[in-house]
Amino acid sequence: MCAAGTLLRDVFGFDSFRPGQEEIVEAVVRGENVLAIMPTGGGKSLCFQLPALVRDGVTVVISPLIALMRDQVRALREAGVEAGALTSGNTDEENAAVWDAVETGRLKLLYIAPERLSSGAALGMLRRIGVGLIAVDEAHCVSQWGHDFRPDYLRIGDLRRALNVPLAAFTATADAETRDEIVNRLFDGQVPNTFLHGFDRPNIHLAFAAKDSPRRQILDFAAARKGQSGIVYCGTRAKTESIAAALGQDGHLAIHYHGGMDPEARRSAETRFQQEDGMVVVATVAFGMGIDKPDIRWVAHADLPKSIEAYYQEIGRAGRDGAPAETLTLFGPDDIRLRRSQIDEGLAPPERRVADHARLNALLGLAEALRCRRQSLLEYFGETNVSCGNCDLCDTPADVFDGTTAVRKALSAALRTGEWFGSGHLIDILLGNETDKVRERGHDTLPTFGVGQEYSRRQWQVIFRQMMGRDLLRPDPDRHGGLRMTDDALPLLKGEATIELRQDSIRKADRRPAAKTLVNEEDAPLLSALKAKRRALAEAARVPAYVIFNDRTLIEMAEKRPCSVDEMARIGGVGAKKLASYGDAFLEIINGEAEKMHPTRRKLAGREAGSLYDELLAVQADLARGPKGTDKPLSCSASLLAKVASLRPKDQASLNQLLGEKRADRFGAAFLDVLREAS
Ligand code: ADP
Ligand code: ZN
């Protein structure tokens, strides 16, 4: 196995690379300039952390968020990697520890905040310490037109030139404009080796639901996932507070978060969410950037997000660890009206507004989709041939009907009343309701009056919602939200096109859905016990729980139930350092007691040398008193056996060298047999 593969397993505890990681790691190890575009949760950090261990010198990592840097450094140190951060938030001791590691040449990764680059001292320091690679996280922060622009990122180009070392840049933002800006500003226009990786996040389940009683819908969704970390996104600050309170009453550990809170309160909410297990935060979109919690198990939208990009980014905060995560996005006619009016009333120039409507349409199209949501979502990002099986419409196909006639009737009601009215009044006309408003305006004499009695009021509401969602009717802000027909509806009106609509997608929830678990019923109690242990260890070490082991690792432990240190080493996420620190504690939970094992043998856990060691030990025991059982007892020390198992000498001569003549005489032939068998 290559050096990178060995490190992947031994240090990071992963069996295999995620899609795309290996090529990126190889290019960075070779010292090429690299630009890698990977979706959130795709595993970008590994793509510079692993090469940092393979390459000579220090890897400087530039990252915009101090909290994230500190988390990564903590996680690396847990895995036994020498890493440090220089940030304005450091204590003197922390700074001293970093310098000490630098001076003694032990430091492999040095995280620095971009602000530091503005001081001349930083450059001098970086020159002295022998930097071999620059890694830039969130590279889109160099884009002056993006929403995350960081002026200090513009200094990174100078740094690269001054140090004259390769640079690897990472981002989740894929659009071509941003990419060009990164190439210009970080690489002086020399196109680096570029990797563009898929946007699919297959472990995230996608679901939308029309608003019925939205508060109840959110509370039910959360109730089925009690004890799991989640985010509820709301459209208003007031709603974050009321839903958080309701969740609290339902027995959740829930807090609210919005831009109106003072910075101190916001920071403390972020820290608590990051650190505490199973917490729910109810937030406006102000919450998210700066949250790097890999074990968020669900994201719910109590209101429709503002665009398909925002939706993708917000749900993407769930399930970064790769374990299953769930989402639910609620939407209704009011959301559509609100989002449209925000665009229309905003200050953006007209072309921009047209583009914003299109991005909202893309999201509404997703909300009203008739087939697989993942395919619609990824199609928007330019990906085809997507397989799914993990969205509500793959679970239960939509119940569709030919809505052409219904849509024509609705359009006609709108047109004959001058496109001045909202859906409520139009539905009254279609149903033939003689309300005051209908009579006053003489709408009871229209040919459309009463032509829609085959549907109930509720069904018409569903039809109008879908017409708005598919942008056939748009509320006009200049007409107090009166619905106007769009050009897209013309072919339908003229009889040149047909349209499929969904039956009422509002299903009455019979009762609270059963709790969802991450593992099957049988393994659930063990998983809770493992989580409790993890929480205790995390609290003692004052780190977030996932720094000990992430959810995915605990799920695998609960399912595979390793009963030896060797088996434990094969669980994804259990590297050598973590095995040494926590292996026994978790084995004890699984098996009632920890395995007793010689420390030397323990170091070989999970490797082929481990099983070789066991076989050598067995043949040695057979020969302890010689072939006839009459000689003086003789044995090799554990460390000698470990050497034989690791170095795998091929002949008697090398065994002589390793073991000395006396022992080589007694055990040599038998050992060589064992080694030959194994190769
Ligand atoms: P991002 O691309 O968003 O920066 P991270 O680097 O934070 O993603 O990685 C997301 C999660 O995936 C982390 O919990 C990390 O431990 C995990 N991860 C990364 N690479 C692998 C891998 N090869 N196998 C299993 N898990 C991985
Ligand atoms: Zn699907």
Side-chain angles (χ1 to χ4, degrees):
M1 204 186 279
C2 61
T6 312
L7 288 170
L8 181 71
R9 205 188 47 200
D10 291 352
V11 176
F12 297 94
F14 301 137
D15 287 335
S16 55
F17 286 105
R18 290 251 182 94
Q21 280 180 328
E22 190 163 17
E23 298 94 85
I24 300 173
V25 165
E26 282 170 359
V28 177
V29 167
R30 280 196 301 270
E32 291 171 20
N33 283 329
V34 164
L35 168 58
I37 299 143
M38 288 173 101
T40 306
K44 283 185 286 291
S45 342
L46 185 90
C47 297
F48 57 81
Q49 290 173 346
L50 206 162
L53 303 184
V54 179
R55 288 178 58 88
D56 286 335
V58 178
T59 293
V60 173
V61 184
I62 297 157
S63 165
L65 292 154
I66 292 176
L68 299 199
M69 277 194 254
R70 296 174 81 93
D71 283 345
Q72 288 205 3
V73 168
R74 228 166 9 192
L76 283 166
R77 299 186 72 88
E78 275 296 317
V81 175
E82 283 285 350
L86 289 177
T87 71
S88 47
N90 275 20
T91 61
D92 288 346
E93 290 98 86
E94 283 171 322
N95 278 332
V98 173
W99 284 118
D100 191 46
V102 169
E103 313 267 275
T104 51
R106 284 177 289 126
L107 197 76
K108 291 309 294 178
L109 288 115
L110 177 62
Y111 284 72
I112 62 175
E115 304 82 78
R116 286 254 160 171
L117 299 178
S118 58
S119 84
L123 181 59
M125 177 272 287
L126 292 175
R127 275 220 174 104
R128 274 199 314 279
I129 66 174
V131 172
L133 171 69
I134 302 171
V136 181
D137 205 1
E138 315 290 353
H140 60 276
C141 291
V142 293
S143 162
Q144 276 170 306
W145 311 114
H147 43 72
D148 293 336
F149 176 54
R150 298 282 175 131
D152 289 314
Y153 261 58
L154 296 176
R155 298 176 191 278
I156 298 174
D158 297 336
L159 178 71
R160 186 186 63 83
R161 249 170 274 128
L163 297 176
N164 193 23
V165 294
L167 185 145
F170 298 86
T171 178
T173 306
D175 65 273
E177 256 168 73
T178 312
R179 231 183 293 164
D180 287 347
E181 248 185 303
I182 293 175
V183 172
N184 285 330
R185 300 192 186 282
L186 296 185
F187 299 100
D188 288 333
Q190 303 275 323
V191 179
N193 194 350
T194 303
F195 299 85
L196 179 58
H197 277 286
F199 275 70
D200 193 11
R201 300 280 308 281
N203 60 312
I204 300 182
H205 185 267
L206 308 178
F208 281 71
K211 283 186 184 175
D212 182 9
S213 35
R215 200 184 168 84
R216 180 86 273 136
Q217 286 167 295
I218 294 291
L219 291 177
D220 285 351
F221 185 77
R225 290 156 189 86
K226 204 169 230 167
Q228 302 180 8
S229 273
I231 305 177
V232 180
Y233 280 113
C234 300
T236 63
R237 292 173 179 180
K239 203 188 258 186
T240 64
E241 299 186 8
S242 70
I243 292 188
L247 284 168
Q249 272 170 7
D250 261 9
H252 296 269
L253 188 58
I255 54 174
H256 67 265
Y257 182 103
H258 56 68
M261 290 158 55
D262 65 67
E264 189 57 38
R266 288 167 64 169
R267 214 162 316 126
S268 111
E270 284 170 353
T271 315
R272 279 193 68 192
F273 181 64
Q274 192 91 6
Q275 299 259 352
E276 288 178 36
D277 221 13
M279 177 174 268
V280 178
V281 64
V282 188
T284 59
V285 291
F287 184 77
M289 175 87 178
I291 296 302
D292 188 23
K293 191 170 165 56
D295 55 356
I296 298 171
R297 293 270 69 85
W298 57 269
V299 170
H301 285 105
D303 298 298
L304 187 78
K306 79 167 201 280
S307 67
I308 194 161
E309 287 86 353
Y311 167 77
Y312 178 82
Q313 193 175 47
E314 286 152 21
I315 61 160
R317 303 206 163 106
R320 281 174 164 221
D321 54 10
E326 283 179 283
T327 65
L328 173 66
T329 301
L330 299 184
F331 66 102
D334 290 343
D335 289 295
I336 304 178
R337 269 191 285 275
L338 173 75
R339 292 304 187 190
R340 292 247 183 258
S341 65
Q342 283 173 339
I343 297 172
D344 288 325
E345 288 156 20
L347 298 171
E351 331 67 85
R352 175 70 184 271
R353 267 185 262 166
V354 171
D356 286 346
H357 277 297
R359 300 194 311 170
L360 176 56
N361 282 350
L363 179 60
L364 293 171
L366 188 60
E368 297 290 7
L370 303 178
R371 277 163 283 276
C372 178
R373 301 213 197 261
R374 192 173 308 272
Q375 281 172 4
S376 319
L377 175 64
L378 295 177
E379 208 162 273
Y380 180 83
F381 291 115
E383 282 181 36
T384 48
N385 292 326
V386 176
S387 65
C388 174
N390 196 23
C391 75
D392 54 348
L393 291 175
C394 281
D395 300 343
T396 320
D399 193 0
V400 298
F401 69 101
D402 181 349
T404 314
T405 312
V407 166
R408 269 200 229 141
K409 287 179 182 171
L411 289 172
S412 140
L415 291 170
R416 286 180 191 274
T417 51
E419 302 179 293
W420 276 96
F421 297 91
S423 59
H425 184 66
L426 297 177
I427 292 173
D428 280 332
I429 295 172
L430 288 162
L431 291 174
N433 290 340
E434 296 188 34
T435 64
D436 292 349
K437 196 168 168 185
V438 166
R439 247 176 291 129
E440 272 161 34
R441 314 214 171 217
H443 289 162
D444 48 352
T445 61
L446 294 173
T448 342
F449 186 73
V451 298
Q453 293 175 359
E454 69 272 42
Y455 297 118
S456 67
R457 177 168 207 92
R458 185 181 176 101
Q459 285 169 319
W460 275 115
Q461 283 167 342
V462 172
I463 293 167
F464 272 92
R465 193 197 70 226
Q466 294 185 66
M467 290 176 69
M468 284 165 72
R470 290 160 77 164
D471 205 22
L472 304 175
L473 284 175
R474 235 193 232 191
D476 182 345
D478 296 334
R479 298 181 171 202
H480 314 292
L483 292 173
R484 304 192 67 175
M485 189 180 86
T486 64
D487 290 349
D488 286 356
L490 273 177
L492 282 161
L493 199 64
K494 290 197 222 148
E496 293 166 4
T498 59
I499 185 168
E500 279 188 321
L501 294 178
R502 300 188 64 166
Q503 300 281 13
D504 191 349
S505 62
I506 301 169
R507 277 183 221 103
K508 275 268 160 269
D510 337 336
R511 69 199 130 71
R512 287 235 161 166
K516 297 249 174 173
T517 51
L518 291 167
V519 292
N520 68 32
E521 226 173 292
E522 221 167 277
D523 298 330
L526 177 54
L527 182 60
S528 328
L530 294 170
K531 281 189 170 176
K533 182 81 215 172
R534 174 176 71 176
R535 189 171 316 141
L537 290 168
E539 273 163 19
R542 302 169 137 218
V543 295
Y546 62 82
V547 167
I548 308 285
F549 284 128
N550 69 24
D551 281 0
R552 202 175 179 176
T553 300
L554 293 196
I555 291 168
E556 198 180 328
M557 276 186 208
E559 286 172 345
K560 295 202 176 141
R561 302 183 178 230
C563 42
S564 66
V565 180
D566 282 314
E567 286 175 17
M568 185 58 107
R570 280 186 216 113
I571 301 286
V574 183
K577 170 86 191 297
K578 289 197 183 175
L579 183 69
S581 315
Y582 309 119
D584 283 346
F586 285 87
L587 278 171
E588 217 172 303
I589 301 292
I590 298 167
N591 304 300
E593 57 178 13
E595 189 187 18
K596 297 196 176 48
M597 191 183 252
H598 193 286
T600 307
R601 167 65 179 84
R602 187 179 285 268
K603 289 208 184 92
L604 303 177
R607 307 189 201 175
E608 207 186 341
S611 51
L612 268 182
Y613 178 105
D614 295 340
E615 288 177 50
L616 296 171
L617 195 68
V619 300
Q620 167 178 272
D622 286 343
L623 291 172
R625 287 180 147 269
K628 300 200 191 70
T630 51
D631 299 339
K632 268 223 316 243
L634 190 64
S635 66
C636 304
S637 69
S639 65
L640 263 185
L641 283 182
K643 262 194 198 141
V644 176
S646 307
L647 299 175
R648 298 168 159 232
K650 295 240 170 339
D651 48 40
Q652 189 71 33
S654 5
L655 263 178
N656 274 349
Q657 252 185 357
L658 263 178
L659 302 180
E661 216 161 308
K662 205 161 63 177
R663 292 188 167 79
D665 269 354
R666 169 99 40 110
F667 305 115
F671 281 7
L672 286 173
D673 277 347
V674 168
L675 295 170
R676 255 193 303 274
E677 291 272 297
S679 59

